[in-house]
Amino acid sequence: MSEHEAAAQVLAGRLGGLRPRIGIILGSGLGGLAERIADAVTVPFSELPGMPRSTVAGHVGQFVIGRLGGREVIAMQGRLHSYEGHPYPALALPVRVMRAIGVETLFISNAAGSLKAEMGPGSLMAISDHLNWSGFNPLIGANDDAVGPRFVDMSNAYDRDLRARLHEAAAAEGIKLHEGVYAWYTGPNFETPAEIRAFRILGADAVGMSTVPECIAAVHCGMRVVAVSAITNLAAGMDRTTLSHEHTLAESRKLATRFERLVESFIAGLG
Ligand code: HPA
């Protein structure tokens, strides 16, 4: 049995009759959404065989399974990042575990810096596409053909139809939702101003340290992905803000209620 199947088997035994088809990954400072999940069952990552621990402040490190917006969901409260030193495939593991228990749609969120002056802190951005210039990829290594193909089509990685529904949900809630390209930077340092200028030339609208490996893993195993960046700052060099994780958490918590309304309304509308 592969690693994700072993973990999925334990998780499936804890679902208490729930069959979530929607997975949610909660970014820095956005974990509060898990408190909106009704009839919640929590399963710490530490109870699942092979599952690495989340080591970052603001990332609890557990699955929360229950009901949100009238649908059964499984949320990852706390995620893994490449800068924590996990081996390539580890970042794919939680995504594959969710797939193995039946998840078909993955909602990914993150805190991010903005490369556009008009999309300042407090903005929400639907991710339309990404740039992976990190040299890192969770699919490097032997391919498990039972999970997905060796070569993965990423031309509709952030599903167009789901994104259209996300915009509808935002409009219905009166929430302004930007759209743009997310560039992945492994961190753990924030980018330099020169790197931000380079990313802008390459076509990035926002930058952050997550989401891309999870998106790649999800598309590989046949999930549909929708993703939102919570903008916590203008990217390095655009203003005089000193970037820090504390600043990211403080800013993402400020917009968390709006973010939660958007996610709940989107999920309720999935029908
Ligand atoms: N860069 C990378 N990651 C981030 C940023 C940023 O400016 N803001 C929040 N997460």
Side-chain angles (χ1 to χ4, degrees), residues 135-146:
F136 184 105
N137 191 306
L139 304 182
I140 290 175
N143 187 58
D144 183 345
D145 294 335

Side-chain angles (χ1 to χ4, degrees), residues 22 26-27 75-76 81 88 96 107 120 143 148 156 169 171-172 177 189 193-194 203 215 222 226 255 263-264:
I22 303 163
L26 295 168
M76 264 181 88
H81 301 83
Y88 288 129
R96 288 180 184 171
F107 192 113
N143 187 58
N156 189 30
L177 182 64
N189 59 285
C215 171
V226 61
L255 56 73
V263 180
E264 191 163 348

